[in-house]
Amino acid sequence: LHNLAQYGDDLSQTRKAVVYVETNKKGTKGIEIGVGGVGIRGIEPIFYKNNYVGSVDFGGGFEKELHIIKKAISGEVGVIFYKSALEGWSGLKDVKFNIGEFIPLYSTIQDIKPFIFESALKKASQNQETYYTDFVSQRGKDFFVAYIPLKDFSGKNIGFLYLIKERVLASSKVFTNLIINLLAYLAILILVALLIGYGMNKYVINPVVTLTKLADDISMGKTAEKVEVKDAKGEIAVLAKAIERMRITMKKLLE
């Protein structure tokens, strides 16, 4: 119960959450930076005959929880703190790697340098949304890195939980994209078929039908109507001119 006379464990300098509970006589929970490092704590006050006599806390480090998250998301995960948030922690002097004003402490991946950048951390610090997402390309693959603010027991931002995951389309999205592509291809094929059909009708079939009727009329002695096919192209136009010459010749013979 943090009894100084009996245990000698004065936590008022290193355990701000304990001081909070002692001052407010109510429990709290969250991330706390103590002598042993950074941990997740839940602290509740203890009363005896309505008198506050101390507090009890439960919790542990980050590593076990990070591995649970890693398994759940099938990606990498870690925590990174503002250097200012770690002031007073004795272990800070032993930290050998930092990213500007940020100190990475726990991670499920050995080398975070290819994925975590100071520029992204600064943008995440300025972001007002629930989380900030950055995109990184490494080793021929694309990854997204999500930064989620970490708050201590008092609600103050002290760092970030980051998630690293390869950008791979889910099977449902792949199937949806495949269906969309197939529908687009079918639409294009139908459009091409309609255009071809329209062109065939206008420039080949209709002129041939017209010329056939005119040639039949000429064979019956009907030579008054001029052979003229407006949409005739190429060899159809040549055929139309030949039939027109035949009409003129037949008309002269009949006269």
Side-chain angles (χ1 to χ4, degrees):
L1 298 177
H2 314 304
N3 187 324
L4 300 186
Q6 184 174 354
Y7 303 111
D9 53 349
D10 183 1
L11 303 179
S12 62
Q13 299 300 314
T14 56
R15 296 288 301 280
K16 295 179 181 179
V18 172
V19 176
Y20 172 88
V21 172
E22 182 175 353
T23 303
N24 296 279
K25 305 299 187 292
K26 63 179 182 180
T28 187
K29 59 184 177 181
I31 298 170
E32 186 181 18
I33 301 169
V35 176
V38 182
I40 303 172
R41 292 282 188 273
I43 305 176
E44 291 294 328
I46 301 296
F47 295 90
Y48 177 69
K49 293 182 179 180
N50 295 324
N51 293 316
Y52 175 81
V53 294
S55 61
V56 59
D57 65 77
F58 304 87
F62 270 96
E63 294 190 39
K64 182 179 180 181
E65 284 73 16
L66 293 183
H67 284 284
I68 292 173
I69 296 173
K70 174 180 178 177
K71 185 176 180 181
I73 69 169
S74 298
E76 305 296 340
V77 60
V79 289
I80 192 165
F81 296 91
Y82 292 107
K83 187 175 182 179
S84 58
L86 298 175
E87 290 180 358
W89 173 46
S90 60
L92 183 59
K93 64 180 183 298
D94 299 321
V95 174
K96 298 180 180 179
F97 171 62
N98 64 285
I99 305 175
E101 60 179 301
F102 301 92
I103 307 292
L105 289 186
Y106 311 104
S107 179
T108 59
I109 184 173
Q110 286 187 336
D111 186 11
I112 67 171
K113 294 178 184 177
F115 304 99
I116 308 297
F117 302 99
E118 185 179 9
S119 57
L121 287 164
K122 287 183 176 180
K123 289 179 180 179
S125 300
Q126 299 167 358
N127 184 53
Q128 300 299 317
E129 303 298 328
T130 307
Y131 60 90
Y132 172 76
T133 303
D134 187 29
F135 297 96
V136 178
S137 294
Q138 287 291 335
R139 306 163 192 157
K141 297 180 180 180
D142 293 328
F143 298 85
F144 75 82
V145 184
Y147 296 89
I148 304 165
L150 284 179
K151 301 179 184 293
D152 65 6
F153 69 94
S154 66
K156 178 183 176 182
N157 285 338
I158 58 174
F160 296 96
L161 171 75
Y162 58 83
L163 310 174
I164 304 171
K165 189 169 175 62
E166 185 179 351
R167 295 180 66 186
V168 179
L169 283 175
S171 57
S172 59
K173 291 185 178 180
V174 172
F175 181 75
T176 300
N177 288 341
L178 179 62
I179 293 297
I180 292 172
N181 288 335
L182 287 175
L183 291 175
Y185 293 147
L186 286 174
I188 292 171
L189 287 175
I190 292 171
L191 179 61
V192 170
L194 289 174
L195 291 174
I196 291 174
Y198 174 77
M200 288 289 291
N201 276 318
K202 184 175 182 180
Y203 299 110
V204 179
I205 296 175
N206 289 341
V208 168
V209 170
T210 300
L211 289 175
T212 301
K213 182 179 180 302
L214 290 172
D216 188 56
D217 288 344
I218 292 170
S219 68
M220 299 293 291
K222 299 177 182 180
T223 59
E225 184 178 353
K226 182 179 179 180
V227 177
E228 189 175 30
V229 182
K230 294 181 179 179
D231 296 323
K233 304 285 183 181
E235 294 180 355
I236 301 297
V238 173
L239 177 61
K241 290 179 181 179
I243 294 176
E244 171 62 10
R245 288 195 298 270
M246 182 182 69
R247 180 192 72 82
I248 294 172
T249 302
M250 288 288 293
K251 183 176 181 182
K252 289 181 179 179
L253 289 173
L254 291 174
E255 290 176 351

